[in-house]
Amino acid sequence: MTSATAASRHNWESDLERYRTQAVTVLEQHVPALTGCSECGDPWPCARACTAELVLEL
């Protein structure tokens, strides 16, 4: 079990920055195309692009 002191020392900003960087990469890869997402082929907007957008709003 993690103590309250150890949890309070966690650097959440570094985690968020890493998530934001990954989100930008996802949005660069998952872009709209005529048949859906150019990367995964799912209907646009794909779940990955939507999730990346939400991460960038954090």
Side-chain angles (χ1 to χ4, degrees), residues 11-54:
N11 187 350
W12 294 107
E13 281 303 313
S14 66
D15 285 348
L16 286 175
E17 187 56 36
R18 188 175 71 250
Y19 295 146
R20 289 178 188 124
T21 300
Q22 291 172 334
V24 168
T25 300
V26 167
L27 289 172
E28 288 172 346
Q29 296 169 345
H30 292 262
V31 295
L34 293 175
T35 59
C37 176
S38 64
E39 181 72 14
C40 65
D42 289 349
W44 186 257
C46 69
R48 291 168 189 89
C50 290
T51 302
E53 285 284 342
L54 289 172

Side-chain angles (χ1 to χ4, degrees), residues 2-10:
T2 304
S3 71
T5 305
S8 66
R9 283 187 261 156
H10 185 83

